[in-house]
Amino acid sequence: MLTTRDDVRLLGPDDREAFLSLTAQDPVVNVFAAYRARVTNLDPRWLGGEVWGRFEGDQLVAGCHMGANLVPVQCTPEDVGLFADRALERVRSTATIVGPHDVVEAFWGVVSDRWSPPREARWRQPHLQIADDPMVAPDPEVRVTTAGDLEALYPACVAMYTEEVGVSPESAGGKDLYQARVRQLISRGWSFARFDERGRVIFKAEVACASPYAAQVQGVYVHPDRRGEGLSEIGMAAVVALVREQVAPTVSLYVNEWNTAARSAYARVGFTETARLSTLMF
């Protein structure tokens, strides 16, 4: 039973392998945390935040990424009280809390009287994954994008983000930062799209983060003029095939519970639900 604050400490580069072993207990759900550990070496200078761990003796048994994204890693609802204490001590920089539903619910129960209410709460989001060939034929016109596609691709990225999140990524002077993010995804080979004869993006998706085990897809978008034609199914089938060939063997994403059309399309591609997540956006 947790009775002292001494169970929790800040993690750093020396803890990288232990933290990666922790994420590997559920490598698909924990792909974001694993990716961040690999690219930052758990160094706060590169994290733009901190990663905390709970130990039993010398064994790391739970973690929490605390930055713009607050993400629990292998936590039980009982663990989050200690991490919530640490979060409340920091200058708040959290824009999103995302993780397994019961853990996020428990975390919010601790901090809700000190933090402002979320702008939006999505309490039960199916987490889906596929580790086989897609069940429908991939769209042969979906391809990895290049730097030359940026002019056509960027407006679709802004439109998708605004539709999904409810605010433009360009608000509050964020255009340069968001455009740099889109360029980064293109340069990594993590951006996929289909263009029509006019050069418009009619389908697109990106890999948000990846590890040797899994890649998490985000930003799935079909142009409003072309919705209802099945482009999301064959487009996602193409993304699955390309990602499994070039990035990681398992493809995952999470979707809003109410988005029955998207959930049906993903199911036809071959995605299956493996967890329920919650996302709180501030």
Side-chain angles (χ1 to χ4, degrees):
M1 181 174 180
L2 302 181
T3 58
T4 74
R5 295 164 59 85
D6 297 333
D7 296 298
V8 175
R9 67 168 174 83
L10 180 67
L11 303 184
D14 290 344
D15 301 298
R16 178 181 184 272
E17 295 310 311
F19 185 74
L20 287 174
S21 294
L22 181 70
T23 66
Q25 293 179 26
D26 193 342
V28 183
V29 169
N30 293 326
V31 62
F32 169 82
Y35 169 72
R36 293 286 288 158
R38 291 177 186 277
V39 300
T40 68
N41 208 31
L42 295 184
D43 188 326
R45 294 176 299 173
W46 310 118
L47 275 165
E50 299 171 341
V51 174
W52 289 81
R54 184 177 79 79
F55 290 78
E56 292 180 355
D58 294 331
Q59 183 72 30
L60 177 64
V61 296
C64 189
H65 177 283
M66 298 184 190
N69 297 299
L70 193 152
V71 181
V73 180
Q74 294 304 111
C75 288
T76 67
E78 291 73 27
D79 288 326
V80 296
L82 291 174
F83 292 124
D85 287 346
R86 299 295 182 176
L88 289 169
E89 290 173 354
R90 302 171 70 249
V91 175
R92 180 177 170 187
S93 60
T94 299
T96 304
I97 303 173
V98 59
H101 167 73
D102 57 344
V103 176
V104 172
E105 185 177 51
F107 185 94
W108 184 244
V110 177
V111 304
S112 58
D113 62 342
R114 299 271 297 277
W115 284 7
S116 58
R119 174 175 56 81
E120 187 167 355
R122 301 177 180 181
W123 281 111
R124 294 188 180 274
Q125 296 175 296
H127 174 274
L128 311 176
Q129 65 186 63
I130 181 172
D132 295 302
D133 292 336
M135 294 170 59
V136 299
D139 185 344
E141 296 188 49
V142 171
R143 60 172 174 82
V144 179
T145 64
T146 68
D149 296 318
L150 179 65
E151 184 176 355
L153 184 64
Y154 182 72
C157 293
V158 172
M160 183 278 152
Y161 186 103
T162 304
E163 184 176 324
E164 174 66 18
V165 179
V167 296
S168 169
E170 298 184 332
S171 63
K175 180 177 180 178
D176 289 347
L177 185 61
Y178 188 65
Q179 195 168 81
R181 173 61 172 165
V182 175
R183 285 196 183 99
Q184 180 187 60
L185 294 173
I186 293 171
S187 70
R188 289 177 175 165
W190 285 8
S191 169
F192 312 91
R194 174 179 169 178
F195 302 83
D196 68 9
E197 64 281 354
R198 295 158 53 188
R200 298 184 311 170
V201 172
I202 59 171
F203 169 86
K204 68 122 191 129
E206 300 93 33
V207 168
C209 52
S211 75
Y213 306 101
Q216 186 178 94
V217 170
Q218 67 170 17
V220 181
Y221 173 81
V222 175
H223 192 283
D225 291 350
R226 301 295 300 273
R227 293 176 184 175
E229 299 178 20
L231 291 175
S232 61
E233 292 177 31
I234 60 174
M236 278 304 299
V239 170
V240 168
L242 289 165
V243 171
R244 293 190 68 240
E245 177 184 352
Q246 302 177 16
V247 184
T250 299
V251 183
S252 72
L253 54 82
Y254 53 98
V255 62
N256 293 318
E257 183 179 32
W258 47 261
N259 195 342
T260 55
R263 291 174 64 183
S264 296
Y266 297 143
R268 287 190 287 271
V269 173
F271 283 88
T272 58
E273 182 176 336
T274 59
R276 281 287 170 120
L277 305 186
S278 292
T279 300
L280 307 183
M281 294 180 286
F282 299 89

